Amino acid sequence: MTEPTNPAHEPLRDGQGNIIETVELTAEEQAARKRRARFTALALVAFIALIFVVTVVRLISNVGGGA
Amino acid sequence: MTDTSAASGPGGAETSAPPAASSTTAGWRDYVLLMKPRVMTLVVFTGLAGYVAAPVAINPLLAAIAILAIAVGAGAAGAFNMAYDSDIDALMKRTRRRPVPTGRVPKDEAYAFAGVMSLGSVLLMGLATNYVAAGLLAFSIFFYCVIYTMWLKRSTPQNIVIGGAAGAFPPMIGWAVATGSVSLDAVILFAIIFLWTPPHSWALALYKSGDYQAASVPMMPVAKGAASTRFQIVIYTALYLAATVGPVLTGLGGVVYTIAAGVGGALFAALAVKVWRSKAGDVPNAEDELYAVRAGDKAARDLFAYSIAHLSLLFAALLVEHGAGAHVSLTQLIG
């Protein structure tokens, strides 16, 4: 499900000039894709934040334990 | 972390809710459904109980992250199961409205979702706690996805007996989160859920056998008949109730736990005997709703519903005793 990238809706062509078949997304599908992309980004940020928190907490406890 | 898609699997029963929307594109609810939230709830609860019952504690924030990792791991396994079983889910009334068989979530996407979450949960568990807990989590996901879903479920009526191990891991993982090891008490908690799974799952299978028959899943009532299943429910109930005595003997379970195991266990036994004497499952049936049954199947439905309550009660008792400082062992009481 790739969206045509040229705004004029000219058919995409490969190096030999052959038309590349593409899929036109409906408005609903585009909205769904945008939602998924946002959620994936949020999940990624949340995961990174969790790793950061784990690192800091373990670092503090290790430093505290070593002191 | 087990399934109940065809087998009311190890770890509790689960059913699919109505589609999130009439649209064919997936909404966030579809991804939540993909993770089998009902199964996940029981997994988190028993995992938390295992952690709280352990004799030592870790930083509460790390413990919370570990429980989150258990939940995500369970969700990942559930998503894999839904993707792999979408063909048979589509044939069963109880599961046909799930996100993958309806096409709202493409199968490949469900696999990717499961894979990423599996890796993330195990990685998070390893970083936040220890490698024993992370290893157990990874193994439980593997066991559920490969041993149970891909191998046992469609090949043997012992599917949920052996596969029940996957759903029995969470309290052991919770214990390992706290202690970094596995002790006798952790093994007993594992055994309780492992032996609870057959009577729980077969009770459901008795009144949903039509569904399993339609999907050619060799659940016990389909493969060996309802009478044999009812008898085996009684046998496994006896083994389960024997296992529930374990924590009393080791001192892990105190007075509250003992009462829950004793009184609750007596009712469990009575319901199992009632199923044995009933005609439940004699006529294949497959109502749409999880708890909907015909008159002859009520005993099985009652045991199925009560089994969830009893297991929850046992682990709630451990949570209360160890989490709220209400643990008084029988030897302390007598002495």
Side-chain angles (χ1 to χ4, degrees), chain A residues 24-67:
Chain A
E24 196 84 41
L25 296 182
T26 64
E28 189 190 15
E29 285 168 339
Q30 282 181 339
R33 188 170 69 171
K34 193 174 272 184
R35 278 198 305 272
R36 270 202 304 277
R38 278 188 187 146
F39 180 79
T40 305
L42 273 175
L44 199 57
V45 169
F47 185 70
I48 292 165
L50 274 174
I51 299 291
F52 179 74
V53 169
V54 166
T55 307
V56 170
V57 171
R58 295 204 72 159
L59 201 60
I60 289 170
S61 62
N62 286 341
V63 170

Side-chain angles (χ1 to χ4, degrees), chain B residues 115-188:
Chain B
V116 169
M117 291 210 311
S118 297
L119 285 174
S121 64
V122 173
L123 183 66
L124 195 59
M125 180 67 92
L127 289 173
T129 62
N130 57 71
Y131 296 123
V132 175
L136 285 171
L137 180 62
F139 184 69
S140 68
I141 295 171
F142 165 80
F143 197 93
Y144 181 67
C145 295
V146 178
I147 307 294
Y148 171 69
T149 303
M150 295 176 70
W151 178 27
L152 297 171
K153 186 170 173 179
R154 300 179 192 223
S155 61
T156 168
Q158 299 296 328
N159 49 15
I160 56 94
V161 177
I162 307 164
F169 274 112
M172 189 182 264
I173 298 171
W175 189 281
V177 163
T179 64
S181 63
V182 174
S183 70
L184 175 63
D185 281 323
V187 173
I188 289 172

Side-chain angles (χ1 to χ4, degrees), chain B:
Chain B
M1 124 180 11
T2 3
D3 166 30
T4 50
S5 61
S8 148
E14 182 272 340
T15 187
S16 45
S22 57
S23 158
T24 52
T25 52
W28 64 271
R29 287 184 192 87
D30 292 311
Y31 289 92
V32 173
L33 286 176
L34 204 59
M35 293 190 285
K36 302 193 172 187
R38 288 192 198 196
V39 175
M40 200 197 271
T41 308
L42 201 56
V43 164
V44 167
F45 184 61
T46 55
L48 178 67
Y51 169 74
V52 172
V56 290
I58 59 169
N59 182 296
L61 192 56
L62 293 181
I65 291 173
I67 299 299
L68 175 71
I70 293 176
V72 173
F80 179 91
N81 175 274
M82 279 216 199
Y84 190 84
D85 280 345
S86 58
D87 56 337
I88 54 177
D89 281 352
L91 300 174
M92 300 197 289
K93 284 182 181 175
R94 190 171 62 82
T95 54
R96 65 188 172 189
R97 285 173 294 176
R98 285 177 169 176
V100 182
T102 52
R104 295 197 306 280
V105 175
K107 199 190 255 194
D108 290 349
E109 210 168 282
Y111 278 131
F113 186 70
V116 169
M117 291 210 311
S118 297
L119 285 174
S121 64
V122 173
L123 183 66
L124 195 59
M125 180 67 92
L127 289 173
T129 62
N130 57 71
Y131 296 123
V132 175
L136 285 171
L137 180 62
F139 184 69
S140 68
I141 295 171
F142 165 80
F143 197 93
Y144 181 67
C145 295
V146 178
I147 307 294
Y148 171 69
T149 303
M150 295 176 70
W151 178 27
L152 297 171
K153 186 170 173 179
R154 300 179 192 223
S155 61
T156 168
Q158 299 296 328
N159 49 15
I160 56 94
V161 177
I162 307 164
F169 274 112
M172 189 182 264
I173 298 171
W175 189 281
V177 163
T179 64
S181 63
V182 174
S183 70
L184 175 63
D185 281 323
V187 173
I188 289 172
L189 295 180
F190 174 93
I192 288 173
I193 301 182
F194 181 70
L195 293 167
W196 165 86
T197 306
H200 163 77
S201 303
W202 287 337
L204 174 70
L206 277 176
Y207 71 93
K208 295 287 177 194
S209 57
D211 251 358
Y212 297 120
Q213 214 160 17
S216 302
V217 176
M219 286 298 284
M220 196 58 81
V222 176
K224 302 286 179 188
S228 169
T229 306
R230 293 194 296 263
F231 177 67
Q232 291 191 65
I233 281 178
V234 175
I235 300 293
Y236 274 96
T237 296
L239 294 172
Y240 163 63
L241 295 180
T244 62
V245 179
V248 180
L249 299 177
T250 62
L252 181 71
V255 175
V256 178
Y257 175 88
T258 306
I259 293 169
V263 178
L267 184 53
F268 198 115
L271 288 172
V273 170
K274 203 173 161 191
V275 169
W276 184 30
R277 289 178 171 173
S278 75
K279 302 278 182 197
D282 278 352
V283 179
N285 189 21
E287 301 290 341
D288 263 12
E289 297 301 321
L290 183 63
Y291 291 101
V293 288
R294 292 168 317 178
D297 292 338
K298 271 184 182 165
R301 191 269 316 270
D302 291 348
L303 177 65
F304 170 73
Y306 179 73
S307 64
I308 299 171
H310 187 242
L311 189 73
S312 304
L313 184 68
L314 291 183
F315 281 88
L318 289 176
L319 262 177
V320 169
E321 288 188 330
H322 294 272
H327 183 266
V328 180
S329 70
L330 285 184
T331 47
Q332 280 175 302
L333 195 71
I334 295 164

